[in-house]
Amino acid sequence: MERRFLGWLLARRILGPRHLLRGALSIALNPPWTAARFKMNKMYLRGEAVDRLEALGAEYVTLAIIPALRRIALETIDHHRRQGDRVVLLTGSLDLLVGPLARKMGLDGAIAGRLERAGGHFTGCALAPHPYGEQKAEALRDYARRANIDLTRACLYSDSASDLPAFLLVGGATAVNPSPRLAREARRRGWAIAHWPDASSRRVLILS
């Protein structure tokens, strides 16, 4: 979602080459070059006004994200809501995108990548814990503790092997359209594997 949002900002000339160069230089000059460090680097947004970017984020979610949501994902959310479950979006994507998305979907909350702000502008830094890899598990544990949630009774849906630390915290794991590594781990651990089609189809196959 964040990559597509960046492309949208570039296409509208809200951001330009200097923003990309700033981000790339920040990564190149600050090893070690780990996936987690890369995910937390938001220097391409440094100096941008918070109010303006939040408004653009909400606009982008309405125009591009909501129409592209998979029907089966919405049906699955509805199923959990009917069961009385709390439904929370857990992602490392930008909070200025995730917040509007969670609200429009009628979710009960969101755990997202939080951006540091100072004087009404973004600093280009993400705040820890950033929900990716081990830090996603940390963010999930923190949310569960504050909300008094028993994670052994919780379900988690994801397509990425980077979410394995979070998967190991919950009682119900479902690998959705999983990466090869996640599919292997799901089969080894006996987790459910779901193949969700695109938004135009209602067919779904769930394996356990």
Side-chain angles (χ1 to χ4, degrees):
M1 184 161 60
E2 182 179 344
R3 289 193 300 271
R4 293 176 180 178
F5 179 54
L6 173 57
W8 186 75
L9 294 174
L10 292 169
R12 298 183 65 177
R13 298 187 178 180
I14 296 165
L15 299 184
R18 65 183 177 88
H19 296 86
L20 298 180
L21 180 61
R22 182 192 301 147
L25 285 175
S26 177
I27 292 171
L29 297 175
N30 290 280
W33 300 298
T34 64
R37 290 283 300 274
F38 178 80
K39 294 284 185 180
M40 292 187 69
N41 187 299
K42 310 298 179 186
M43 292 304 292
Y44 71 94
L45 292 177
R46 189 183 70 188
E48 296 300 310
V50 171
D51 289 348
R52 182 183 186 223
L53 262 293
E54 287 183 340
L56 288 166
E59 179 184 357
Y60 178 75
V61 166
T62 299
L63 294 176
I65 301 300
I66 294 296
L69 293 175
R70 294 173 187 264
R71 183 176 297 162
I72 186 60
L74 299 176
E75 291 171 350
T76 301
I77 290 170
D78 287 341
H79 169 75
H80 281 286
R81 298 295 294 262
R82 289 193 300 270
Q83 298 297 316
D85 296 335
R86 178 186 303 215
V87 182
V88 177
L89 184 59
L90 171 62
T91 173
S93 290
L94 299 174
D95 53 1
L96 62 88
L97 299 172
V98 176
L101 177 58
R103 289 191 292 272
K104 286 183 176 295
M105 294 176 68
L107 304 186
D108 298 297
I111 307 167
R114 297 174 299 131
L115 298 177
E116 184 180 61
R117 296 154 166 84
H121 294 80
F122 292 115
T123 67
C125 299
L127 299 174
H130 182 71
Y132 176 80
E134 292 287 351
Q135 290 194 53
K136 178 173 280 190
E138 180 182 344
L140 179 57
R141 279 192 298 265
D142 180 63
Y143 180 89
R145 183 170 53 253
R146 289 185 284 106
N148 195 29
I149 293 172
D150 179 2
L151 288 177
T152 64
R153 300 179 60 193
C155 301
L156 179 69
Y157 296 80
S158 176
D159 63 353
S160 175
S162 68
D163 290 337
L164 284 171
F167 268 127
L168 295 175
L169 298 178
V170 302
T174 300
V176 179
N177 298 346
S179 65
R181 181 187 169 198
L182 179 58
R184 289 193 299 270
E185 193 68 20
R187 287 191 292 268
R188 187 175 75 86
R189 294 180 178 273
W191 294 340
I193 299 176
H195 296 286
W196 288 2
D198 62 27
S200 64
S201 173
R202 285 187 175 272
R203 293 181 302 162
V204 61
L205 174 64
I206 299 181
L207 308 174
S208 59

